[in-house]
Amino acid sequence: MRKVHLISVTEPLVLDLALALREKGYEVSASGRGLTEEVMEKLHNAECICYGDGWFPEKIDKDIHAVVLGAEVRLDNPELTRVKELGILTQSIPEFIFQRTRSKTRVVVAGSRGKKTIISMIVRALRRQKLAFDYALSSEVDSLPNRVHLSYEARIALIEGDEHVTSALDKRFQLEFYRPHIAILTNMSWSAETDHATPEAYLSTYRSFSTSIEREGKLIYFGGDPAVNQLAQEVRSDITAIPYDQHPVVERDGQVFLPTRYGDYPVRIPNGYFLINLNAARLACRQLGVKDADFYAALSEYSLSLPI
């Protein structure tokens, strides 16, 4: 059984990764400062090793196969110092997730808007078709119990591409690591909160993301965003760039429907971006083997279940 140690388990994504790895059969230890009783209880119930609140460099030894760093770990962290002294393999969360999903079809949803909704739609469609999938998300999705799930049997991995710096040891951005087979790019809207100093640096990161798409991969992109549209025109010749826009609707007797070649499907539209996100999810699911008719049925159920 491989031993993995996670530093900064107070970060929600790090905690969920620890629980997912333990469920998969790893021997897991975790540390963090400012641990709450709730976090300690979750770790204890999952049989993850945690020595208490704070850092415990004396507990780090060469039996540990790999150390995973949270995004908030500082370079002077005493556990990280000990890890470097011992020469233990150290990875950021994106690096670690990529290594655990190398053999899977990776679907990475990136952009400034709509990622959570698109992922929720894809999840609903895959579940309706009983297609197993793993996932690693920075957002909470209501239909999923936590942010991370890893298995040996699933052949699909859904990943939320994040625009933030990966760790103290590596200043690249998280979405640059995942090498998607199917990339979804919603839009690009620079702000200082993205960890990018300038719009040019922000664009450069997304260009690196598009370059990282696996050979013969797919880029599903929102054609209504000028920057995204320009980036899609620059992708390698082996990548298929597939634009999407808003899905049409019709209204009858006070009910909204999606008109399709398979019939009209009733939907509830919660916001102005819903019909745009719908088409992104539909095209991704098509690449994963979900027929449009099955996607529409799942999407109709999903939308009608949303709170008014």
Side-chain angles (χ1 to χ4, degrees), residues 33-53:
R33 178 159 288 167
L35 291 176
T36 64
E37 289 296 325
E38 180 184 6
V39 170
M40 293 286 286
E41 184 177 2
K42 285 183 177 180
L43 292 170
H44 175 75
N45 291 342
E47 299 182 339
C48 295
I49 299 169
C50 182
Y51 297 104
D53 184 39

Side-chain angles (χ1 to χ4, degrees), residues 5-10 29-36 39-40 43 49-60 73 77-80:
H5 180 68
L6 297 97
I7 303 178
S8 192
V9 76
T10 50
S29 59
S31 62
R33 178 159 288 167
L35 291 176
T36 64
V39 170
M40 293 286 286
L43 292 170
I49 299 169
C50 182
Y51 297 104
D53 184 39
W55 313 117
F56 299 88
E58 69 278 5
K59 301 296 185 180
I60 304 293
V73 177
N77 181 285
E79 290 190 3
L80 178 56

Side-chain angles (χ1 to χ4, degrees), residues 22-244:
R22 186 71 192 99
E23 184 179 358
K24 194 178 179 183
Y26 285 75
E27 184 177 339
V28 176
S29 59
S31 62
R33 178 159 288 167
L35 291 176
T36 64
E37 289 296 325
E38 180 184 6
V39 170
M40 293 286 286
E41 184 177 2
K42 285 183 177 180
L43 292 170
H44 175 75
N45 291 342
E47 299 182 339
C48 295
I49 299 169
C50 182
Y51 297 104
D53 184 39
W55 313 117
F56 299 88
E58 69 278 5
K59 301 296 185 180
I60 304 293
D61 58 48
K62 286 194 171 183
D63 288 341
I64 295 173
H65 172 74
V67 170
V68 183
L69 296 181
E72 297 173 9
V73 177
R74 296 166 56 97
L75 280 174
D76 61 356
N77 181 285
E79 290 190 3
L80 178 56
T81 300
R82 177 62 174 162
V83 167
K84 289 192 286 188
E85 288 173 355
L86 294 175
I88 300 172
L89 173 67
T90 308
Q91 295 179 312
S92 65
I93 290 178
E95 288 177 287
F96 191 82
I97 292 297
F98 171 71
Q99 293 298 332
R100 303 280 109 35
T101 59
R102 284 189 75 115
S103 62
K104 304 175 188 291
T105 298
R106 292 178 298 282
V107 181
V108 180
V109 186
S112 308
R113 180 190 66 227
K115 293 179 289 188
K116 180 176 176 179
T117 300
I118 291 169
I119 290 168
S120 297
M121 292 176 177
I122 295 173
V123 165
R124 190 62 176 253
L126 293 179
R127 280 182 166 170
R128 196 174 194 274
Q129 295 305 108
K130 296 181 170 54
L131 292 172
F133 59 93
D134 290 346
Y135 55 86
L137 315 174
S138 54
S139 303
E140 288 187 284
V141 171
D142 291 340
S143 59
L144 298 174
N146 48 42
R147 294 172 178 83
V148 184
H149 175 73
L150 299 170
S151 68
Y152 293 105
E153 56 276 356
R155 309 314 303 162
I156 298 169
L158 300 179
I159 300 172
E160 182 177 358
D162 199 300
E163 301 168 339
H164 296 293
V165 170
T166 178
S167 76
L169 293 182
D170 193 332
K171 295 304 182 182
R172 286 177 293 172
F173 297 91
Q174 295 184 25
L175 58 80
E176 297 183 65
F177 285 88
Y178 297 121
R179 292 169 53 180
H181 298 88
I182 302 167
I184 300 174
L185 185 48
T186 62
N187 73 315
M188 292 162 57
S189 178
W190 173 81
S191 72
E193 295 178 357
T194 67
D195 292 343
H196 294 80
T198 65
E200 291 74 21
Y202 180 73
L203 176 60
S204 177
T205 294
Y206 275 96
R207 186 171 285 113
S208 296
F209 171 65
S210 65
T211 301
S212 74
I213 297 172
E214 294 280 13
R215 287 199 62 78
E216 310 298 332
K218 307 294 189 295
L219 173 62
I220 299 169
Y221 68 97
F222 177 48
D225 185 290
V228 170
N229 196 59
Q230 178 59 40
L231 188 149
Q233 309 312 311
E234 301 172 0
V235 294
R236 301 190 314 267
S237 60
D238 64 284
I239 297 171
T240 303
I242 307 170
Y244 67 89

